[in-house]
Amino acid sequence: ASGLREMAVETPDVGWEDIGGLDDVKNELAETIQGPIMHPEEYNVFGMSPSRGVLFYGPPGCGKTLIAKAVAKECGVNFISVKGPELLNQWFGESEANVRDLFDKARAAAPCVIFFDEIDSIAKSRGSSEGGAGAASDRVINQLLTEMDGIGPKKKIFIIAATNRPDVIDPALTRPGRLDQLIYIPLPDESSRLAILRASLRRTPCGKDVNLEYIARMTEDFSGADLAEICQRACKLAIRERVAERKKFEEERRERAKDGLILSNDSFMP
Ligand code: ATP
């Protein structure tokens, strides 16, 4: 009854091939996460606690959520996604209870990746919030740290947190053994934009005159989300055009049928 309805366990359907660019990030993550999630016991041998996760930061719409999903899919584990503000509740103790519920759910779904979007909303430096909210948000962070440290070396739970504001995150959260790797997800450069366009159009038939290289060159400062939107709009226009063409074709056919030029249902639409 925590009101965390968004917190469903999923098996994501996004793979590396759906993500354009970001090759370094993909390679690095495959290694960073394969370790703790697939072979946590190895860390014991070396007297280390495995990393609990990574913190993604960077401008919006550049693939943080996509990568988190793809990581879960590539490792063949469950995926739980939650946005920081969803955990916050005005009632005393409820936010901490939500954090506890989240980790209970993750333990039940292990091996799994928890994707924690907008983590800054609950993990701002302790003592930094103004007014009465301070003590409450300090308790939420403390709960989060307790849960992270309590996962234990055997549980295969990996946390990917995301923020646009890495500068306000409580440093306790990024200590070794917690979210100890900070990974920047940048705006795509020209070759990444081309890769994103290609990934977005992977299942779309394109005309021969569609010049993706040109579009990639002309879209400086566009995010991955902006590029995906361009592709979506183009598809909508193409659909509209086809529907109009089909209508016109059928109208003409009816006209010809009226004139007795067509007897059977010999419609042909290219
Ligand atoms: P936010 O900070 O707003 O949560 P985000 O970085 O998590 O953003 P995503 O949700 O991963 O961004 O991306 C939004 C949409 O943009 C994706 O669903 C996808 O369509 C497109 N997109 C973004 N980056 C890429 C990429 N590198 N390759 C392919 N598609 C991308």
Side-chain angles (χ1 to χ4, degrees):
S2 62
L4 290 179
R5 46 190 173 68
E6 307 288 340
M7 216 173 62
V9 179
E10 324 167 32
T11 326
D13 55 357
V14 177
W16 288 143
E17 69 281 5
D18 295 303
I19 302 174
L22 299 169
D23 294 333
D24 297 347
V25 177
K26 289 181 195 171
N27 291 334
E28 196 175 335
L29 278 178
E31 217 170 75
T32 317
I33 294 179
Q34 216 94 20
I37 227 173
M38 306 307 229
H39 311 289
E41 64 288 344
E42 291 298 322
Y43 287 78
N44 269 349
V45 175
F46 289 89
M48 283 176 68
S49 41
S51 165
R52 273 300 143 220
V54 297
L55 179 62
F56 285 170
Y57 70 104
C62 290
K64 297 189 281 298
T65 310
L66 280 188
I67 293 178
K69 284 187 174 169
V71 162
K73 185 180 175 201
E74 300 294 331
C75 292
V77 302
N78 284 316
F79 182 76
I80 299 180
S81 163
V82 67
K83 282 189 184 359
E86 288 166 10
L87 294 174
L88 296 179
N89 188 298
Q90 56 177 326
W91 303 109
F92 185 85
E94 275 295 305
S95 306
E96 297 96 293
N98 285 343
V99 173
R100 257 194 319 272
D101 284 355
L102 169 65
F103 281 83
D104 281 346
K105 197 158 203 171
R107 272 185 289 270
C112 74
V113 166
I114 304 179
F115 180 61
F116 227 124
D117 207 1
E118 301 174 38
I119 189 132
D120 42 284
S121 62
I122 64 165
K124 287 208 176 85
S125 275
R126 278 167 294 182
S128 73
S129 351
E130 63 286 338
S137 67
D138 289 0
R139 285 199 310 272
V140 177
I141 298 178
N142 287 333
Q143 187 65 41
L144 190 58
L145 297 175
T146 305
E147 293 291 346
M148 261 187 215
D149 295 344
I151 288 174
K154 292 219 184 65
K155 273 292 177 198
K156 302 181 175 187
I157 298 175
F158 196 84
I159 302 165
I160 298 179
T163 181
N164 305 322
R165 295 290 314 273
D167 52 309
V168 301
I169 299 290
D170 193 301
L173 211 67
T174 49
R175 290 223 185 98
R178 292 178 182 156
L179 307 180
D180 51 15
Q181 215 180 127
L182 206 62
I183 297 181
Y184 182 56
I185 312 287
L187 269 181
D189 60 11
E190 186 177 327
S191 71
S192 295
R193 291 197 296 273
L194 182 57
I196 293 172
L197 290 167
R198 288 200 175 122
S200 305
L201 295 169
R202 219 154 52 84
R203 297 192 187 82
T204 311
C206 277
K208 284 196 184 63
D209 55 341
V210 175
N211 187 343
L212 296 182
E213 283 83 3
Y214 176 73
I215 299 175
R217 207 176 321 128
M218 299 306 287
T219 43
E220 203 174 340
D221 290 331
F222 277 51
S223 69
D226 295 333
L227 295 168
E229 164 98 20
I230 292 183
C231 297
Q232 216 163 40
R233 280 200 209 174
C235 285
K236 265 191 212 153
L237 285 177
I239 291 169
R240 198 186 294 167
E241 234 167 64
R242 261 176 76 89
V243 168
E245 243 170 64
R246 187 179 293 275
K247 238 189 211 157
K248 193 169 146 228
F249 173 83
E250 265 155 23
E251 241 157 57
E252 279 170 9
R253 201 172 67 85
R254 264 197 303 276
E255 286 301 312
R256 275 183 294 154
K258 243 194 288 176
D259 298 342
L261 293 171
I262 298 177
L263 296 172
S264 62
N265 190 18
D266 66 343
S267 63
F268 169 74
M269 168 89 185

